[in-house]
Amino acid sequence: MVKPPSIPADARAEAPSPTPGADPATAPSLEERAATLMDELAQVERKEHRAVLQWELGRLAEKAGDTAGAVKAYLTAYNHAPQFRPPLFDLIRIFERRRSFKNLTRLYDAELKSARSEGDRASAEADLAAILEDRQGDPGAALEHLERATRREDGPAVATAGLFLERSARRAADGALVAQALAARARSATDPVWKALLLVDLAAERAEGVEEGALDAAMAALDEALGLGVVRFRVLSAMERLARAHDRPADLVRALEGLAELAAQAARGEEGEGSGAFSVQRFADEQRAAGRAAALHLEAATLRLHRL
């Protein structure tokens, strides 16, 4: 029989968390549990089963303070069944704590290859990108991983990759990549206010593009932001600026009429839908709000008469 992992004397009395209703006095010690697992391991042949047992042995060794033994057990478990991911995650956790970047690069690569979902792949891509750029001095490879990550299914990992990609893209003055990063962050945002603000930034970035349809894409981002019903003043003001700068009378009319409605709500003392930060324009009094609403409606009407 293979000898079970060594359990230090001061840890032998420590037992795993007892099951509900179990008598702690009769719970097996770490050494006893390890011996039981080793006996079971000697009797099984199926790799998936052996992987689970090796992983459990690694957990026991780590709990007993034998980190080297735990790493060996986790690695054996992973080699038995790479699709069984808990040992891999435990290895990553240990080497992250040790700051062993050479090993982490291989582990993150293994995490990417064994990922089952788009979210898992995006997370591994972001981890790889960080270590490639910060520790291996390879920003080009890091950028490739981040680009792939932001094209994957939405989720927290995609949002993180988008933030990293935006940072790198702005450093490289690459407007197209900045827009890709902002689009990924907006897709993954769950808070409507934050999502709308990201869409406003995305619209500004897209408007700087030289490709055909860049302005239409910018306005599409603002339309999506308007549909969220929040930060309306910020969104409509951005729409007004873009429409004036690029001579888009139809979009300018929409922006002016939207701003006029917000001003009219302020004149009536109403907060309106989406009130709060960035949602309404503040006026000194209701009379000035009413005057602003009238001026905006007049400009919009003039545009409708002469430009549309």
Side-chain angles (χ1 to χ4, degrees), residues 25 75 85 96 98 128 153 172 176 195 212 217 219 226 251 258:
L75 186 58
R85 290 161 60 82
E96 282 181 339
R98 290 181 172 181
L128 265 173
E153 183 179 312
K195 186 182 187 76
E212 185 178 353
M219 286 299 175
L226 275 178
D251 292 319

Side-chain angles (χ1 to χ4, degrees), residues 55-76:
W55 173 63
E56 291 183 358
L57 282 167
R59 301 283 285 188
L60 288 174
E62 190 174 2
K63 193 171 185 180
D66 182 10
T67 305
V71 168
K72 183 177 180 181
Y74 292 149
L75 186 58
T76 301

Side-chain angles (χ1 to χ4, degrees), residues 16-24 26-28:
S17 300
T19 55
D23 182 1
T26 62

Side-chain angles (χ1 to χ4, degrees), residues 9-110:
D10 59 355
R12 290 178 184 178
E14 182 181 356
S17 300
T19 55
D23 182 1
T26 62
S29 67
L30 291 179
E31 189 174 58
E32 290 169 337
R33 178 63 178 144
T36 300
L37 289 172
M38 291 299 297
D39 286 343
E40 186 177 354
L41 187 63
Q43 300 173 31
V44 299
E45 296 183 1
R46 195 162 63 91
K47 288 186 176 182
E48 292 78 8
H49 192 174
R50 294 180 67 84
V52 173
L53 293 174
Q54 286 284 0
W55 173 63
E56 291 183 358
L57 282 167
R59 301 283 285 188
L60 288 174
E62 190 174 2
K63 193 171 185 180
D66 182 10
T67 305
V71 168
K72 183 177 180 181
Y74 292 149
L75 186 58
T76 301
Y78 177 73
N79 288 334
H80 276 318
Q83 73 278 10
F84 179 55
R85 290 161 60 82
L88 178 61
F89 295 146
D90 283 322
L91 285 168
I92 289 173
R93 173 176 51 77
I94 289 173
F95 285 110
E96 282 181 339
R97 187 170 63 239
R98 290 181 172 181
R99 298 175 65 80
S100 178
F101 300 110
K102 183 177 180 180
N103 286 314
L104 280 172
T105 302
R106 292 195 292 265
L107 290 171
Y108 289 149
D109 187 57

Side-chain angles (χ1 to χ4, degrees), residues 223-292:
D223 283 334
E224 183 179 352
L226 275 178
L228 296 172
V230 294
V231 297
R232 291 181 61 79
F233 179 70
R234 172 69 71 89
V235 177
L236 289 166
S237 296
M239 183 178 288
E240 180 191 7
R241 286 194 300 273
L242 282 181
R244 289 189 189 280
H246 299 280
D247 191 27
R248 294 173 66 101
D251 292 319
L252 181 55
V253 167
R254 289 197 300 134
L256 293 172
E257 291 177 344
L259 290 168
E261 179 56 31
L262 291 180
Q265 288 175 355
R268 296 192 297 267
E270 301 171 0
E271 289 190 347
E273 182 182 5
S275 61
F278 313 117
S279 296
V280 296
Q281 184 177 7
R282 307 300 179 184
F283 295 94
D285 52 50
E286 294 180 356
Q287 183 177 358
R288 293 190 182 186
R292 176 62 175 162

